[in-house]
Amino acid sequence: MANKVRKDAAEALDGLLFDGMTIMAGGFGLCGIPENLIAAIRAQGVKDLTVISNNCGIDGFGLGVLLENRQIKKMISSYVGENKLFEQLYLSGELELEFNPQGTLAERIRAGGAGIPAFFTKTGVGTLVAEGKEVREFDGELYVMERGLTADLSIIKADVGDSAGNLVFRKTARNFNPMMATAGAKTVVEVERLVATGDLDKDHIHTPGIYVDAIFEGAAFEKRIERVTTRPRAVEGAGAGGEV
Amino acid sequence: MAWTRDQMAARAARELQDGFYVNLGIGIPTLVANYIPDGVEVTLQSENGMLGMGPFPFEGEEDADLINAGKQTITELDSSSYFSSADSFAMIRGGHIDLSILGAMQVAANGDLANWMVPGKMVKGMGGAMDLVAGVKRVVIVMEHSEKSGAPKLVKACNLPLTGQGVVDLVITDLGVFEVNRGRSPLRLVELAEGVTLDEVRARTEASFEVAFA
């Protein structure tokens, strides 16, 4: 069996990066992002990237560091509100942007990885999102056609992985990572803990190793939190959060 | 005296039914979780990939791997489950979520909703809003009745880019409650906030509406 284990991000990405390529980056906000791989891509300096990721990090962290280094030409995202530099680059025309509804983005990636070139969804019918796309009626309701998405490279963060590339994600850090792992021509994964084959419960593997080309244990994980929100210890049952 | 944000949230919480799976938007909708009526148990979905959102963590117990769709730290419950964003939106798009409570910039009498984009201003993106309104069984909007400028938000036709067409079931504003019914029946004012007069609502509403107090 091919040896998938690498010592670090630079070695895992060796020979995989080229200018003008498309990269899918897992994560939602700063949760579950491949921070070691992002840092290595910044250090390598590859340019004119199209990056498919739900968000674009924040100023100074996550994909924000690739923006600072002017390595990104185009973003395909659902929400980019957390990033001042993003706004500047977009408004000055230096950065292209394609918005996808979050669920459409997730499904486009899932479809791409599953060999499905297009699908129909209710999401976005009658909105700017549907402009220029085929709209078709099924059973009396209108649906818009969306294309599957693939990439030259997917960069993924998992909690635990084994040397065969089997992955287990943790809590909401799973998000876009499993679909993106399937949709990259090459998929590189960083894990917090790399274990031997046999150490994972085979019934609890989220992503089977077939999708993974290279895997390494990250040296350090900063795991920043965008919005630390707590409740006082005295009070029971404060509110539970929201969404966009 | 119009309703406060908390009173609007409390009114919205009366739309919750025992056993519902619910997705709450940011802003006033988030406050709805504080007013879940006694005897009603709902499961809160977070569209990044979780069912069964618990309360915010105690200080020092935040987990970077556990956030809601507003990117706030949260906690899990015994009944919680985690899944990918594709599974999460399959749940939403597939009509398995009972109720979504969202904010809005404009709602039209025909049920159209605009809540993601103001042309000419930096657009942050729609996130999951378009998927939620397209897929969730019932969509309740909680919003101020007017813009800060005084411009009406309950309009004849949205002039902002739409989030969805014919998707709104009910609107709760600081002045009262309107049945929209996805535009399948005429817009109907069904409740007034305490101390608000019908004349005031008429003066501040662009869309024409029927009055049908319960």
Side-chain angles (χ1 to χ4, degrees):
Chain A
M1 190 192 266
N3 181 16
K4 299 181 180 186
V5 177
R6 305 287 184 268
K7 76 170 170 9
D8 59 19
E11 187 182 288
L13 291 171
D14 188 38
L16 298 181
L17 300 177
F18 56 92
D19 289 349
M21 73 187 300
T22 298
I23 298 178
M24 283 183 185
F28 175 84
L30 301 179
C31 181
I33 61 171
E35 49 183 275
N36 289 281
L37 286 161
I38 292 169
I41 290 171
R42 159 134 192 178
Q44 199 272 354
V46 62
K47 293 193 304 289
D48 295 327
L49 301 174
T50 295
V51 176
I52 301 167
S53 188
N54 190 60
N55 315 93
C56 194
I58 59 170
D59 293 309
F61 195 63
L63 292 171
V65 305
L66 302 185
L67 280 182
E68 280 170 8
N69 209 26
R70 305 296 191 270
Q71 288 173 266
I72 301 179
K73 182 185 68 177
K74 180 179 180 181
M75 283 299 304
I76 299 177
S77 302
S78 89
Y79 191 81
V80 294
E82 323 296 347
N83 204 316
K84 283 269 181 295
L85 179 63
F86 191 103
E87 183 171 341
Q88 286 169 23
L89 293 177
Y90 175 68
L91 293 175
S92 71
E94 281 181 74
L95 182 66
E96 291 172 57
L97 174 58
E98 177 188 320
F99 277 129
N100 283 211
Q102 195 175 336
T104 295
L105 182 64
E107 189 63 13
R108 290 183 71 192
I109 297 163
R110 195 198 70 78
I116 296 172
F119 59 92
F120 284 89
T121 174
K122 281 189 283 194
T123 301
V125 169
T127 75
L128 292 176
V129 164
E131 279 184 8
K133 295 173 184 166
E134 182 181 343
V135 174
R136 199 187 287 187
E137 188 179 317
F138 294 93
D139 305 322
E141 260 202 270
L142 294 177
Y143 296 78
V144 58
M145 188 176 83
E146 295 282 358
R147 299 292 310 270
L149 270 179
T150 56
D152 298 307
L153 173 69
S154 288
I155 56 173
I156 301 302
K157 156 75 196 302
D159 186 45
V160 190
D162 69 18
S163 52
N166 296 308
L167 306 178
V168 175
F169 302 96
R170 183 169 179 272
K171 302 186 189 284
T172 56
R174 190 181 318 188
N175 56 61
F176 282 80
N177 282 296
M179 299 84 79
M180 287 186 174
T182 70
K186 294 286 180 188
T187 293
V188 177
V189 182
E190 61 183 74
V191 292
E192 293 194 35
R193 211 153 48 83
L194 184 63
V195 300
T197 51
D199 285 359
L200 295 176
D201 182 336
K202 291 152 191 66
D203 274 327
H204 293 172
I205 288 168
H206 298 134
T207 292
I210 187 171
Y211 298 111
V212 175
D213 296 285
I215 187 168
F216 66 97
E217 190 172 280
F221 286 91
E222 199 173 330
K223 295 180 71 169
R224 282 199 212 170
I225 297 175
E226 238 163 296
R227 299 208 177 103
V228 173
T229 315
T230 57
R231 70 187 141 131
R233 283 183 187 270
V235 180
E236 279 295 297
E243 53 76 46
V244 171
Chain B
M1 266 299 287
W3 278 329
T4 63
R5 287 162 59 88
D6 278 283
Q7 286 171 318
M8 290 158 68
R11 174 59 189 82
R14 283 169 42 205
E15 300 300 312
L16 303 172
Q17 294 179 26
D18 194 37
F20 264 17
Y21 291 90
V22 178
N23 186 295
L24 300 177
I26 52 168
I28 302 171
T30 303
L31 300 175
V32 172
N34 298 335
Y35 296 98
I36 298 170
D38 288 342
V40 172
E41 263 190 50
V42 299
T43 302
L44 298 179
Q45 200 238 22
S46 187
E47 69 267 23
N48 46 324
M50 181 185 194
L51 273 171
M53 268 198 285
F56 297 131
F58 294 124
E59 199 180 323
E61 294 179 5
E62 312 86 31
D63 183 341
D65 288 339
L66 182 44
I67 63 169
N68 64 17
K71 291 156 191 139
Q72 298 169 306
T73 45
I74 48 168
T75 56
E76 62 185 20
L77 306 170
D78 285 345
S79 57
S80 299
S81 56
Y82 301 109
F83 33 83
S84 74
S85 299
D87 288 334
S88 178
F89 281 95
M91 221 172 260
I92 289 166
R93 201 187 302 106
H96 306 281
I97 305 290
D98 296 294
L99 176 67
S100 185
I101 302 177
L102 300 168
M105 297 170 180
Q106 291 181 333
V107 175
N110 64 359
D112 288 0
L113 169 68
N115 74 352
W116 76 283
M117 177 181 182
V118 179
K121 290 200 179 167
M122 177 61 195
V123 181
K124 294 182 170 189
M126 69 290 280
M130 286 191 182
D131 307 280
L132 284 162
V133 300
V136 172
K137 285 179 197 160
R138 182 170 162 80
V139 173
V140 172
I141 298 297
V142 183
M143 66 178 193
E144 302 291 338
H145 201 85
S146 315
E147 296 285 354
K148 288 196 181 74
S149 67
K153 297 176 65 164
L154 203 46
V155 293
K156 287 180 179 143
C158 295
N159 57 19
L160 293 172
L162 296 184
T163 306
Q165 264 182 337
V167 294
V168 176
D169 292 287
L170 191 77
V171 174
I172 298 165
T173 78
D174 48 325
L175 301 188
V177 180
F178 293 82
E179 262 178 27
V180 186
N181 194 22
R182 305 196 171 209
R184 288 181 294 228
S185 53
L187 184 68
R188 203 169 280 149
L189 174 66
V190 293
E191 279 176 55
L192 277 176
E194 293 81 13
V196 172
T197 65
L198 186 53
D199 285 346
E200 184 180 359
V201 177
R202 284 198 200 284
R204 289 176 53 190
T205 307
E206 182 196 287
S208 47
F209 58 88
E210 297 177 351
V211 177
F213 297 131

